[in-house]
Amino acid sequence: KKIINKNKLQQQIDINSQIIAFENIKNSYKNLKIIRIGFDLYSDLNPHTLKNNMRKIKYPEIVAEVTTNHRGNTQVLKRIIEGCISSGVNIIKFQKRDVENFYSKKKLDSAYETPISKTFREYRSKLELNLSQLKLIKKYEKKFKLKIIFSILDFKSYLSLKKLGFKYFKIPSTISLHHNFIKQMSKENLKEIIISTGMTNENYVKKVIKIFSKVKKLYLLHAISSYPTYYQSINLKIVSEYSKFRNKFKKIIPGYSSHDMGSVGSMLAVAAGAEMIEKHVKIGDHEWMHYDDVAIDVYDELPDFVNNIKKATLIMGKKTKKI
């Protein structure tokens, strides 16, 4: 209300700095809920009504993609899972592969210097979840009613996970050319399957729709396999095309696997019709980890990402025009 003797640019810098601080601080307290009242995207209450904007409507499924960001460390694994839960995410995805058979001997024997390895074999082996860690994930799944998904890169890994009682699986872009494996998976009587369509074209999409004709839910996740993805390469109109498939194939659920920075791409994917949003998550920054720049911190950034996806859903509203 008072006149501030600062130029317009400095005022904008000050306000934006406050917003960044607010977004980082508001989720830091266990027993204190901090809210902002205003008309912009950072607001929690509508000044007209003083009501919470987050209505109870159907939001897209948000999948926290852990990849190997647990770093093979059980304590880090626990913290990531608990961070996802506290952020309001109840769908968490991991991955599994048979290291010795997935890579060539030459690749496995090659030098690969990281804080946990000297060779690529040592690196990949240490990043694989062991039996006790898989059982730990099972405990969290049961206790917190989580939906646990695994990206599987070979049939042996699928069978071992199936034996432990895991039910939800994804075929990642990495193995889109592994035709025999994909056919094997189509015969497994799965109720649902998630397909990432990164590094593929329309022929692949048509193929998987045909191969998985018996599943009740077929998630088609648009992805650009560039880490990170430059914003002009995101191409979210593909999500809109996947949404149109539902006119013919009711079981198809369009989605977006985000490899871009931040939440804008994922918010626009919601506008394009995505009903599943997948985002890489981590704790801290580790340059030696694959795709680390793509991932967001489960404690510092994931809560806001979840909020933004919900806000994008609210912005889209309903198809009914009312006064």
Side-chain angles (χ1 to χ4, degrees):
K1 295 287 183 178
K2 69 177 183 178
I3 296 170
I4 300 172
N5 293 319
K6 289 182 183 178
N7 64 47
K8 192 70 176 176
L9 176 61
Q10 188 59 53
Q11 287 184 47
Q12 289 175 334
I13 292 169
D14 292 346
I15 292 296
N16 285 322
S17 298
Q18 289 175 31
I19 289 171
I20 291 166
F22 168 73
E23 288 294 298
N24 282 297
I25 292 168
K26 72 173 182 179
N27 299 311
S28 302
Y29 303 95
K30 267 191 176 180
N31 302 311
L32 183 64
K33 186 175 181 180
I34 302 173
I35 61 170
R36 185 168 184 263
I37 302 173
F39 294 100
D40 60 29
L41 195 62
Y42 303 101
S43 302
D44 303 296
L45 292 185
N46 182 344
H48 289 311
T49 61
L50 294 183
K51 290 182 180 178
N52 192 322
N53 293 337
M54 297 298 186
R55 300 192 302 269
K56 289 187 178 180
I57 61 173
K58 185 182 178 183
Y59 295 109
E61 297 177 74
I62 300 174
V63 180
E65 160 70 280
V66 179
T67 64
T68 51
N69 283 328
H70 50 75
R71 310 194 295 278
N73 184 309
T74 301
Q75 293 309 311
V76 175
L77 176 65
K78 285 181 179 179
R79 288 183 63 209
I80 287 178
I81 294 173
E82 289 166 8
C84 290
I85 294 166
S86 66
S87 299
V89 175
N90 65 352
I91 310 176
I92 308 174
K93 190 171 83 62
F94 303 92
Q95 59 175 241
K96 187 163 177 58
R97 75 191 76 197
D98 178 14
V99 173
E100 287 298 325
N101 292 306
F102 190 79
Y103 301 101
S104 67
K105 187 178 184 301
K106 183 180 178 181
K107 178 69 175 175
L108 291 169
D109 291 339
S110 63
Y112 203 84
E113 293 273 349
T114 74
I116 63 169
S117 69
K118 299 289 184 185
T119 66
F120 189 74
R121 174 185 280 106
E122 188 180 13
Y123 174 74
R124 285 297 344 173
S125 297
K126 284 187 176 178
L127 293 180
E128 282 300 310
L129 294 163
N130 59 39
L131 184 59
S132 65
Q133 289 169 336
L134 290 169
K135 287 182 177 179
L136 175 68
I137 292 169
K138 262 287 168 193
K139 287 181 181 178
Y140 275 105
E141 178 187 43
K142 185 177 180 181
K143 183 177 179 180
F144 294 96
K145 296 180 180 178
L146 304 175
K147 182 176 182 178
I148 300 295
I149 301 168
F150 273 90
S151 279
I152 40 166
L153 288 92
D154 55 84
F155 201 64
K156 183 180 177 181
S157 296
Y158 162 72
L159 290 175
S160 65
L161 291 167
K162 181 183 176 183
K163 192 174 181 180
L164 288 170
F166 292 105
K167 298 177 181 178
Y168 303 104
F169 302 99
K170 176 185 174 183
I171 295 176
S173 307
T174 323
I175 54 166
S176 54
L177 295 178
H178 294 205
H179 306 301
N180 291 335
F181 169 62
I182 294 171
K183 283 182 180 177
Q184 276 182 304
M185 288 303 299
S186 70
K187 296 173 183 175
E188 280 300 300
N189 243 356
L190 298 171
K191 289 184 179 179
E192 61 182 68
I193 189 81
I194 302 166
I195 308 288
S196 178
T197 61
M199 297 189 292
T200 66
N201 58 22
E202 290 179 8
N203 291 333
Y204 179 74
V205 175
K206 290 175 183 175
K207 182 179 177 181
V208 292
I209 290 173
K210 187 176 180 181
I211 289 175
F212 291 99
S213 59
K214 293 182 180 178
V215 297
K216 290 184 178 179
K217 288 183 180 180
L218 175 60
Y219 291 86
L220 280 182
L221 266 55
H222 170 56
I224 301 295
S225 299
S226 172
Y227 303 86
T229 302
Y230 185 56
Y231 77 96
Q232 288 183 15
S233 303
I234 296 173
N235 200 23
L236 288 175
K237 286 193 175 181
I238 297 297
V239 177
S240 301
E241 292 303 305
Y242 290 172
S243 296
K244 292 176 186 176
F245 286 165
R246 302 188 79 173
N247 296 329
K248 188 176 180 182
F249 308 102
K250 299 295 182 187
K251 64 189 172 187
I252 287 179
I253 299 170
Y256 177 56
S257 182
S258 167
H259 299 144
D260 54 308
M261 306 292 276
S263 59
V264 173
S266 296
M267 293 172 76
L268 289 171
V270 172
E275 294 181 26
M276 175 179 276
I277 300 290
E278 185 179 272
K279 190 72 174 176
H280 288 229
V281 297
K282 64 180 177 181
I283 289 180
D285 295 315
H286 300 83
E287 289 182 2
W288 54 276
M289 287 300 303
H290 282 301
Y291 318 136
D292 199 49
D293 288 342
V294 172
I296 58 176
D297 192 282
V298 286
Y299 290 100
D300 295 334
E301 298 168 292
L302 185 58
D304 290 324
F305 180 83
V306 171
N307 259 336
N308 285 341
I309 296 305
K310 289 182 175 180
K311 286 172 181 176
T313 310
L314 294 167
I315 287 169
M316 290 306 296
K318 299 176 181 178
K319 291 181 179 179
T320 308
K321 176 74 173 169
K322 289 184 178 179
I323 297 172

